[in-house]
Coordinates of all heavy atoms in Angstrom, one line a residue:
F698 N 7.9 6.5 8.0 CA 8.5 7.5 7.2 C 7.7 7.6 5.9 O 7.5 6.6 5.2 CB 10.0 7.0 6.9 CG 10.8 6.7 8.1 CD1 10.9 5.4 8.6 CD2 11.4 7.7 8.8 CE1 11.6 5.2 9.8 CE2 12.2 7.5 9.9 CZ 12.3 6.2 10.4
R699 N 7.4 8.9 5.5 CA 6.7 9.1 4.3 C 7.4 10.2 3.5 O 8.1 11.1 4.2 CB 5.2 9.5 4.5 CG 4.4 8.4 5.0 CD 3.0 8.8 5.3 NE 2.9 9.7 6.4 CZ 2.5 11.0 6.3 NH1 2.2 11.5 5.1 NH2 2.5 11.8 7.3
A701 N 8.5 13.7 1.8 CA 8.1 15.1 2.0 C 8.0 15.8 0.7 O 8.8 15.5 -0.2 CB 9.2 15.7 2.9
A702 N 7.2 16.8 0.7 CA 7.0 17.6 -0.6 C 8.3 18.5 -0.8 O 8.6 18.9 -1.9 CB 5.8 18.5 -0.5
D703 N 8.9 18.9 0.3 CA 10.1 19.7 0.3 C 11.3 19.0 1.0 O 11.2 17.8 1.3 CB 9.9 21.1 0.9 CG 9.3 20.9 2.3 OD1 9.5 19.8 2.9 OD2 8.7 21.8 2.8
G704 N 12.4 19.8 1.2 CA 13.6 19.1 1.8 C 13.5 19.2 3.4 O 14.6 19.1 4.0
A705 N 12.3 19.3 4.0 CA 12.3 19.5 5.4 C 12.1 18.1 6.1 O 11.5 17.2 5.5 CB 11.1 20.4 5.8
V706 N 12.6 18.0 7.3 CA 12.4 16.8 8.2 C 11.3 17.3 9.2 O 11.5 18.2 10.0 CB 13.7 16.4 8.9 CG1 13.4 15.3 10.0 CG2 14.7 16.0 8.0
T707 N 10.1 16.6 9.2 CA 9.1 17.0 10.2 C 8.7 15.7 10.9 O 8.7 14.6 10.4 CB 7.8 17.5 9.5 OG1 7.4 16.6 8.5 CG2 8.1 18.9 8.8
L708 N 8.4 16.0 12.2 CA 8.1 14.9 13.1 C 6.7 15.2 13.8 O 6.5 16.3 14.3 CB 9.2 14.7 14.2 CG 8.9 13.7 15.3 CD1 8.9 12.3 14.8 CD2 10.0 13.8 16.4
R709 N 5.8 14.2 13.7 CA 4.6 14.3 14.5 C 4.6 13.1 15.4 O 5.1 12.0 15.1 CB 3.4 14.2 13.6 CG 3.3 15.4 12.6 CD 1.9 15.4 11.9 NE 1.7 14.1 11.2 CZ 0.5 13.8 10.6 NH1 -0.5 14.7 10.7 NH2 0.4 12.7 10.0
V729 N 8.8 17.6 19.8 CA 8.9 17.1 18.5 C 9.7 18.0 17.6 O 9.8 17.9 16.4 CB 7.5 16.8 17.8 CG1 6.8 15.7 18.5 CG2 6.7 18.1 17.9
G730 N 10.4 19.0 18.2 CA 11.3 19.9 17.5 C 12.7 19.3 17.2 O 12.9 18.1 17.4
P731 N 13.6 20.2 16.8 CA 14.9 19.7 16.4 C 15.7 19.0 17.5 O 16.7 18.2 17.3 CB 15.7 20.9 16.0 CG 14.8 22.1 16.3 CD 13.4 21.6 16.6
N733 N 14.5 16.6 19.5 CA 14.1 15.2 19.6 C 15.2 14.4 18.9 O 15.7 14.7 17.9 CB 12.8 15.0 18.9 CG 12.3 13.6 19.1 OD1 12.9 12.6 18.6 ND2 11.2 13.5 19.8
L734 N 15.5 13.3 19.6 CA 16.6 12.4 19.1 C 16.4 11.9 17.7 O 17.3 11.6 16.9 CB 16.8 11.2 20.0 CG 17.8 11.4 21.2 CD1 17.8 10.2 22.1 CD2 19.2 11.6 20.7
I735 N 15.1 11.7 17.3 CA 14.8 11.3 15.9 C 15.2 12.3 14.9 O 15.8 12.0 13.9 CB 13.3 11.0 15.8 CG1 12.9 9.8 16.7 CG2 12.9 10.7 14.4 CD1 11.4 9.5 16.8
C736 N 14.9 13.6 15.2 CA 15.3 14.7 14.3 C 16.8 14.8 14.3 O 17.4 15.1 13.2 CB 14.6 16.0 14.8 SG 12.8 16.0 14.7
R737 N 17.4 14.7 15.5 CA 18.9 14.8 15.5 C 19.5 13.6 14.7 O 20.5 13.8 14.0 CB 19.4 14.8 17.0 CG 19.0 16.1 17.6 CD 19.4 16.1 19.1 NE 20.7 15.7 19.4 CZ 21.1 15.2 20.5 NH1 20.3 15.0 21.5 NH2 22.4 14.8 20.7
A738 N 18.9 12.4 14.7 CA 19.5 11.3 13.9 C 19.3 11.6 12.5 O 20.3 11.4 11.7 CB 18.7 10.0 14.3
A739 N 18.2 12.2 12.1 CA 18.0 12.5 10.7 C 19.0 13.6 10.2 O 19.6 13.5 9.1 CB 16.5 13.0 10.5
E740 N 19.2 14.6 11.0 CA 20.1 15.7 10.7 C 21.5 15.2 10.6 O 22.3 15.5 9.6 CB 20.1 16.8 11.7 CG 18.9 17.8 11.5 CD 18.8 18.3 10.0 OE1 19.8 18.5 9.3 OE2 17.7 18.4 9.5
L741 N 21.9 14.3 11.5 CA 23.3 13.7 11.5 C 23.5 12.9 10.2 O 24.5 12.9 9.6 CB 23.5 12.8 12.7 CG 24.9 12.3 13.0 CD1 25.9 13.5 13.1 CD2 24.9 11.5 14.3
L742 N 22.5 12.1 9.8 CA 22.6 11.3 8.6 C 22.7 12.3 7.4 O 23.5 12.0 6.5 CB 21.3 10.5 8.4 CG 21.2 9.1 9.0 CD1 19.8 8.5 8.8 CD2 22.3 8.2 8.5
R743 N 22.0 13.4 7.4 CA 22.0 14.3 6.2 C 23.4 15.0 6.2 O 24.0 15.0 5.1 CB 20.9 15.3 6.3 CG 19.5 14.7 6.2 CD 18.5 15.6 5.6 NE 18.3 16.9 6.3 CZ 17.4 17.8 5.9 NH1 16.7 17.6 4.8 NH2 17.3 18.9 6.5
C748 N 23.1 14.2 2.0 CA 21.7 14.0 1.5 C 20.9 15.3 1.8 O 21.0 15.9 2.9 CB 21.1 12.8 2.3 SG 19.3 12.6 2.0
T749 N 20.1 15.7 0.9 CA 19.3 16.9 1.1 C 17.8 16.6 1.1 O 16.9 17.5 1.0 CB 19.6 18.0 0.0 OG1 19.4 17.3 -1.3 CG2 21.0 18.5 0.1
R750 N 17.4 15.3 1.1 CA 16.0 15.0 1.0 C 15.3 15.2 2.3 O 15.9 15.2 3.4 CB 15.9 13.5 0.6 CG 16.3 13.3 -0.9 CD 16.3 11.9 -1.2 NE 14.9 11.3 -1.2 CZ 14.7 10.0 -1.3 NH1 15.6 9.2 -1.6 NH2 13.4 9.6 -1.3
G751 N 14.0 15.4 2.2 CA 13.2 15.6 3.5 C 12.5 14.3 3.8 O 12.6 13.3 3.0
V752 N 11.7 14.4 4.9 CA 10.9 13.2 5.2 C 9.8 13.7 6.2 O 10.1 14.6 7.0 CB 11.8 12.1 5.8 CG1 12.5 12.5 7.1 CG2 11.0 10.8 6.1
C753 N 8.6 13.0 6.2 CA 7.6 13.2 7.2 C 7.6 12.0 8.1 O 7.4 10.9 7.6 CB 6.2 13.4 6.6 SG 6.0 14.8 5.5
I754 N 7.9 12.2 9.4 CA 8.0 11.0 10.3 C 6.8 11.1 11.3 O 6.6 12.1 11.9 CB 9.3 11.1 11.1 CG1 10.5 11.2 10.1 CG2 9.5 9.8 11.9 CD1 11.9 11.4 10.8
A776 N 15.4 5.5 13.6 CA 15.5 6.6 12.6 C 16.7 6.4 11.7 O 16.7 6.5 10.5 CB 15.5 7.9 13.3
L780 N 15.9 5.6 7.9 CA 16.2 6.6 6.9 C 17.4 6.1 6.0 O 17.5 6.5 4.8 CB 16.6 7.9 7.6 CG 15.3 8.6 8.2 CD1 15.8 9.8 9.0 CD2 14.3 9.0 7.1
W784 N 16.1 6.7 2.4 CA 16.8 7.7 1.5 C 17.9 6.9 0.7 O 18.7 7.6 0.0 CB 17.5 8.7 2.4 CG 16.6 9.8 3.0 CD1 15.4 10.2 2.5 CD2 16.8 10.6 4.1 NE1 14.8 11.2 3.2 CE2 15.7 11.4 4.3 CE3 17.8 10.7 5.1 CZ2 15.6 12.4 5.3 CZ3 17.7 11.6 6.1 CH2 16.6 12.4 6.2

Side-chain angles (χ1 to χ4, degrees):
F698 304 94
R699 289 179 296 112
D703 53 19
V706 172
T707 54
L708 174 65
R709 297 189 302 175
V729 291
N733 185 292
L734 270 176
I735 294 173
C736 298
R737 288 174 50 204
E740 276 315 319
L741 188 60
L742 273 176
R743 297 208 303 181
C748 170
T749 55
R750 292 176 62 188
V752 63
C753 297
I754 308 172
L780 289 174
W784 285 335

